[in-house]
Amino acid sequence: MTAKLRIVIAPDSFKGTTTAVDAAAALAAGWHAARPGDEVVLAPMADGGEGTIDTIAGSVPGALRMPERVLGPVGCGHNGLVDAEWLLLPATSPGEGPTGVVELAAASGITHLDSLSPMAAHSYGFGQLIARALEGGAHRLLLAIGGSASTDGGTGALAALGARFLDDNGGAVAPGGAGLGDIVRADLSALTSLPPGGAVVLGDVTNPLFGEKGAAAVFGPQKGATPAQVAELDAGLRRLSTVVSADPETPGAGAAGGTGFALLAWGASMTPGAVAVAEAIGLADSIRSADVVITGEGRFDDQSSDGKVPSRVLALADEGGAVAMLVAGRVDADTHGFAASVSLSDLAGSADEALADPLRWLQVAGERLAGAL
């Protein structure tokens, strides 16, 4: 008789193809097909990018979605409004208030754009969501900043919280990256204070604010910036760093088009997103009683060991004494530490086939991993 095992399935999203929630369900279906008697626990993960709210909301009892209408990544006034939300988490211990989870992508994400807008896109709506969370009683903030549409140095977000960025005539600069080069002075006198419990930025990159590894050079082209625009944006971010007090070399300052820098200037701290999300959903406790843990992401490469979801789940599995297994759309790095790994591209015969029907191949992968025992 086969012993009953406890399996925890904790993948990240497979970006561009399927969410972490759907990926976990598909892997579970495959595992059950091979081992129907096992107990399977779904614990979809995130690293601070798009889908962080969905991941936490599905795992934390009492979490409340708080719908809002705010400015999207382009537009002003009543134009360009988008429907977004933040998440209110109940207090976990006496004396603490609730936690607000705010996801940049929900308001200011690149998926809101019909066409890329590298110079005009801004983060103002993200700041509006932060303000709504504070008004809604958040004692502490978790700020997930992946998936940004803009390279505005977070000036939009701070403007929504009361900051003013002024040109040499004392007027407000244009929103978005286009206005960065005109900034002469930052007036932070009316900037909203941090909540009593502070704010933690959930980042998934370690880039500085500017330079060859900075926000404009590395991520600007993904947001539609031409080489000339990249140079203009990088110069604007350098200008911003002279009027706002934060260290532009801090790892993660360049995240979300420099929004990480702005939040550091506000007084927030920064932590790897996978670490914070794992803590928020109690993943360590789930894994501590597990026999096997399955994690995954779209592409497992040399960067996956640098604070990404698979590396965090592997560390928790090692601490909890569980066997760790990996699934990825592509595996392009050594999978040392994982007892078994599956590439969806290899399973399907090609990357194109895997991308065409990822949930099917995730289910096959789950079944394959169960057989690997």
Side-chain angles (χ1 to χ4, degrees):
M1 181 176 178
T2 302
K4 180 179 178 179
L5 301 179
R6 176 180 168 88
I7 317 301
V8 173
I9 301 182
D12 196 355
S13 63
F14 284 60
K15 290 182 173 58
T17 59
T18 188
T19 66
V21 173
D22 289 342
L27 288 166
W31 188 280
H32 274 308
R35 295 181 58 92
D38 287 345
E39 177 190 3
V40 176
V41 177
L42 304 187
M45 271 285 289
D47 60 9
E50 187 174 5
T52 297
I53 279 181
D54 290 337
T55 295
I56 296 177
S59 300
V60 177
L64 295 177
R65 293 178 182 268
M66 309 296 284
E68 305 283 358
R69 176 162 285 190
V70 297
L71 274 181
V74 293
C76 58
H78 295 292
N79 299 318
L81 294 176
V82 298
D83 291 320
E85 64 180 358
W86 58 279
L87 191 68
L88 185 66
L89 305 181
T92 57
S93 60
E96 288 189 2
T99 294
V101 184
V102 186
E103 184 179 307
L104 182 149
S108 308
I110 198 167
T111 56
H112 283 302
L113 296 178
D114 293 326
S115 59
L116 298 177
S117 186
M119 303 306 292
H122 55 72
S123 58
Y124 192 89
F126 175 51
Q128 288 180 302
L129 280 183
I130 294 173
R132 306 283 175 82
L134 295 174
E135 293 165 2
H139 177 85
R140 173 175 177 261
L141 291 173
L142 297 179
L143 305 174
I145 62 172
S148 167
S150 66
T151 309
D152 74 343
T155 52
L158 292 189
L161 292 168
R164 299 174 68 220
F165 296 92
L166 308 173
D167 61 22
D168 56 4
N169 293 317
V173 302
L180 292 177
D182 296 325
I183 296 175
V184 172
R185 185 168 67 89
D187 178 1
L188 307 183
S189 60
L191 183 63
T192 300
S193 299
L194 286 171
V200 179
V201 181
L202 314 187
D204 61 352
V205 300
T206 57
N207 303 71
L209 181 62
F210 52 73
E212 63 180 14
K213 295 183 179 180
V218 175
F219 306 112
Q222 300 171 15
K223 300 172 185 181
T226 65
Q229 289 171 328
V230 166
E232 181 180 347
L233 290 167
D234 190 68
L237 292 171
R238 290 175 186 270
R239 171 67 68 88
L240 176 66
S241 72
T242 67
V243 299
V244 174
S245 297
D247 183 357
E249 294 296 324
T250 302
T259 302
F261 173 78
L263 295 173
L264 289 170
W266 188 38
S269 60
M270 190 168 291
T271 193
V275 172
V277 173
E279 180 181 348
I281 69 174
L283 186 60
D285 290 338
S286 296
I287 288 177
R288 200 168 288 119
S289 59
D291 299 292
V292 176
V293 182
I294 302 174
T295 188
E297 62 181 348
R299 180 180 178 182
F300 184 82
D301 57 22
D302 290 335
Q303 295 183 10
S304 297
S305 61
D306 188 20
K308 301 291 187 179
V309 166
S311 65
R312 184 56 187 161
V313 175
L314 177 60
L316 291 175
D318 288 344
E319 293 171 10
V323 172
M325 296 181 170
L326 173 74
V327 179
R330 286 178 54 181
V331 177
D332 294 330
D334 188 343
T335 58
H336 177 73
F338 291 99
S341 64
V342 174
S343 161
L344 300 187
S345 296
D346 290 346
L347 274 186
S350 72
D352 288 342
E353 289 295 324
L355 289 168
D357 196 356
L359 295 180
R360 172 195 173 193
W361 295 109
L362 281 164
Q363 186 167 337
V364 173
E367 190 169 356
R368 181 71 61 88
L369 289 177
L373 285 177

